[in-house]
Amino acid sequence: MDRAQLADFLRTRREALQPEDVGLPRGSRRRTGGLRREEVAVLADMSADYYGRIEQQRGPNPSEQMLASLARGLRLSTAERDHLFRLGGYAAPGRVRRGDHVEAGLMRIVDRLVDVPAMVVGSTGETLVQTPPCVALLGDETSYEGLARCVTHRWWTLPQSRLRYPEEDQDGIGRAFTAELRAAFTRDGAGSLAAEVVADLEARSPEFRAVWAEHEVARPHSRHKRIVHPEVGVVEVFCQTLYDVDQDQGLLVFTATPGTESFERLKLLGVIGAQSL
């Protein structure tokens, strides 16, 4: 690990970003250009003290997980992320189907959707980034660890994960999730995350085994979704997806028809999300 180069690289990337670049307000009292250390810490989901010690060339060596969080928080390109990992003493992550890094261009779009429910999903169904209104709508899906990061794994092993959808919709949603997992399994093959998820679900869930045995491969999600929110009730939304082909990630944006009750409920959740910032 090259502490001096790592600290210098992080500092220069931090100073190159403006608050507006990452969806933060500038404020009237800002005297210096770039982001503050505490702002980077919030974006990277770590304590300001921890981040500060890295920039000051002290403290523990950051883990690969921490470096990945910093890469997302600082909106690094794939090349910059690879450089960050090497400075931290790790091999650059493989670029083939790398599921946990959101490219800078896609992150810039997310940053401008601060009042809209939106999320970036990886190729095996891992939620990588959510806007605050999306957290208010669906709950924090980025907090899971291990195989539970995959939405299909949660669907078949955590019954509470289905409560966000009406009971009559759940069969179709579960089948759509499973068809997406099969596509990832076929594409990525043995040794992949998808293969690990399939093996675990086959061992743990008779429900999954029954659906998996039907070998459905072309069951797309409906763009029209009904989401059951514990506070505001059922919200009917339209889900539009923008795909990053190189990273094999999808940006999902949820909207409701203006003038409807769902539109008002979604606006209310936007306020709830803003209050959580």
Side-chain angles (χ1 to χ4, degrees), residues 204-222:
R204 296 175 57 180
S205 173
E207 279 187 291
F208 171 79
R209 288 199 299 271
V211 175
W212 185 255
E214 296 182 22
H215 216 101
E216 287 189 275
V217 295
R219 191 184 183 99
H221 281 282
S222 170

Side-chain angles (χ1 to χ4, degrees), residues 18 20 25 27 42 48 60 90 98 114 119 150 222 250 257 261 263 277:
Q18 300 302 316
E20 298 85 354
V42 170
Y90 301 99
R98 179 70 183 185
V114 291
M119 59 197 292
C150 173
S222 170
T257 303
E261 192 171 9
F263 182 78
L277 287 172

Side-chain angles (χ1 to χ4, degrees), residues 53 212 226 230 237 249 257:
R53 283 184 288 156
W212 185 255
R226 297 190 298 166
V237 297
Q249 296 170 351
T257 303

Side-chain angles (χ1 to χ4, degrees), residues 131-147:
T131 62
C134 187
V135 175
L137 178 66
L138 297 174
D140 185 359
E141 295 192 350
T142 66
S143 62
Y144 295 98
E145 298 180 352
L147 298 184

